[in-house]
Amino acid sequence: MSELIEGLPDAVALRCLARVPFYLHPKLELVSRSWRAVVHSAELFKTRQEVNSTEDFLCVCAYEPENLWQLYDPLCDLWITLPVLPSQVRHLAYFGAVSTAGKLFVLGGGSDDVDPLTGDHDGSFATDDVWSYDPVTRQWAMCASMLVPRAMFACCVLDGKIVVAGGFTSCRKSICQAEIYDPEKNVWASIPDLQRAHNTACTEVVIGGKMHVLHTELSTLQIYDEERQGWIVYDWLSLQGPMAVVKGEVYVMSHGLIQKQVGEERKVVVSASEFRRRIGFAMTGMGDDIYIIGGVIGPERWNWDIKKVSDVDILTLGSERPVWRQATPMSRCKGTVFGCTQLRI
């Protein structure tokens, strides 16, 4: 880099550019070759951290269009479209999605899609593929494959590393195997198996820096203890319904209500009756807010049409009385949400 801004040392100019919002980066690179090189450099993103200019985004992938991800910028209330995930599996679903080291990771999953001509499945139900999206290069790349193909599994980040556990193999058999991925070394390693498996999908919540694995219809949870390198099983009230974690507190949507989990009891926070007819949406927490994204609205009594939704509803919890508001709908994606996670850039 040489003389990015006339009259300023490059180190100072870099700190100036680091404060420009991420959504404007495509315009920055049109200024000059040197600016383009900066925008696509890891040094700029490192400087963004140094000057406290990093931004938090929501990453969302829905049924339509297939294998397309979008980023939601909550400060500017706009959507940024990423390049299509170059997976060979059509309508990739049942995968895990997390972010760490400034990258978005899409792990495993598969598809139930059937070729309309041959009747064959386009892809297996579970794969061991791992993809990462780098906002610096704006490209997808394949990473080291998981040790076990899996779908509908628990997946989270602990201390910068990705942990996956449970789920189903390509033959649709539930599994207990768990493993951990180091993004710096691009290496997977086995960790102790879950103590219990169940013939239902499993999911996870991270509370207090620990991974909690839950199986649908199973009234126990398993917590990964990093120090003991094993899983601890607890009897627990079965958490039925979409969940979100906001500032370490678990919120559950059930029976048209959003409730806060307090110990083994639940406290009603607000009505969510307008979502009773919507299924397949994402529910996630970011900042003081709970986001309800996308999904499908089922048919009414006299109308059998199914509506794919791109709406984004936000519940702000940071006040005495929670308030609903609507954000800008997804500009490209709509329908059942396959993946939703946060990414800090």
Side-chain angles (χ1 to χ4, degrees):
M1 296 181 292
S2 60
E3 202 162 308
L4 293 170
I5 300 176
E6 186 176 354
L8 288 180
D10 281 355
V12 176
L14 185 64
R15 295 174 75 86
C16 293
L17 295 178
R19 289 177 166 83
V20 177
F22 178 75
Y23 82 94
L24 290 175
H25 283 198
K27 294 184 178 180
L28 287 184
E29 65 182 63
L30 299 177
V31 175
S32 66
R33 291 182 179 179
S34 60
W35 280 36
R36 177 180 175 81
V38 169
V39 169
H40 289 280
S41 71
E43 187 176 359
L44 176 66
F45 288 82
K46 180 181 178 181
T47 306
R48 283 167 65 85
Q49 294 178 331
E50 294 175 354
V51 300
N52 198 29
S53 292
T54 55
E55 301 170 81
D56 290 321
F57 296 85
L58 280 179
C59 312
V60 181
C61 175
Y63 179 80
E64 189 176 304
E66 67 177 86
N67 298 347
L68 183 73
W69 284 82
Q70 289 197 285
L71 303 184
Y72 176 68
D73 183 340
L75 294 179
C76 300
D77 189 30
L78 58 81
W79 289 89
I80 301 169
T81 302
L82 304 186
V84 175
L85 175 70
S87 172
Q88 296 300 310
V89 180
R90 295 189 57 198
H91 283 123
L92 182 67
Y94 314 128
F95 52 76
V98 295
S99 69
T100 185
K103 296 180 181 180
L104 166 65
F105 289 84
V106 178
L107 309 98
S111 176
D112 282 327
D113 274 6
V114 176
D115 189 304
L117 298 178
T118 65
D120 296 332
H121 285 276
D122 290 340
S124 61
F125 177 74
T127 68
D128 59 5
D129 294 343
V130 178
W131 294 91
S132 69
Y133 178 77
D134 187 343
V136 176
T137 62
R138 297 184 206 157
Q139 293 180 341
W140 290 96
M142 287 204 77
C143 304
S145 299
M146 291 187 291
L147 304 179
V148 179
R150 62 182 79 221
M152 303 174 75
F153 55 96
C155 178
C156 76
V157 172
L158 298 177
D159 297 326
K161 297 181 180 179
I162 301 173
V163 179
V164 299
F168 297 86
T169 62
S170 53
C171 60
R172 301 179 187 246
K173 179 182 178 181
S174 61
I175 54 176
C176 293
Q177 286 99 323
E179 50 191 296
I180 190 168
Y181 174 72
D182 186 331
E184 291 186 2
K185 298 179 180 178
N186 191 31
V187 172
W188 286 93
S190 296
I191 60 175
D193 294 351
L194 291 169
Q195 292 194 29
R196 300 184 185 180
H198 194 261
N199 196 32
T200 57
C202 62
T203 186
E204 80 296 323
V205 289
V206 177
I207 307 172
K210 293 187 176 182
M211 181 180 189
H212 296 57
V213 175
L214 308 98
H215 285 83
T216 306
E217 300 176 1
L218 194 63
S219 59
T220 60
L221 62 82
Q222 301 176 74
I223 301 177
Y224 182 59
D225 190 322
E226 291 183 274
E227 294 182 357
R228 299 181 183 179
Q229 288 290 298
W231 299 87
I232 303 173
V233 181
Y234 290 91
D235 290 326
W236 194 255
L237 177 67
S238 180
L239 298 176
Q240 298 297 327
M243 293 180 293
V245 177
V246 178
K247 294 188 173 180
E249 303 287 348
V250 178
Y251 294 82
V252 183
M253 183 185 293
S254 179
H255 301 99
L257 300 169
I258 289 184
Q259 305 172 66
K260 181 179 178 180
Q261 191 75 30
V262 182
E264 295 188 7
E265 298 181 355
R266 293 183 185 175
K267 177 183 177 182
V268 175
V269 176
V270 70
S271 171
S273 58
E274 61 268 36
F275 301 106
R276 279 182 174 272
R277 289 181 50 240
R278 193 192 299 188
I279 60 174
F281 56 82
M283 178 173 167
T284 189
M286 187 166 70
D288 289 328
D289 301 327
I290 292 176
Y291 287 74
I292 309 296
I293 306 171
V296 173
I297 296 178
E300 298 180 1
R301 183 176 180 181
W302 304 111
N303 183 357
W304 292 101
D305 290 337
I306 296 177
K307 180 182 177 182
K308 299 183 181 73
V309 177
S310 59
D311 295 349
V312 179
D313 296 272
I314 304 174
L315 176 66
T316 299
L317 299 167
S319 59
E320 293 184 4
R321 186 177 180 181
V323 177
W324 285 103
R325 73 180 190 276
Q326 283 197 318
T328 298
M330 292 183 286
S331 58
R332 294 285 307 279
C333 296
K334 62 181 177 179
T336 300
V337 174
F338 290 155
C340 181
T341 189
Q342 296 181 35
L343 174 63
R344 176 164 290 179
I345 302 174

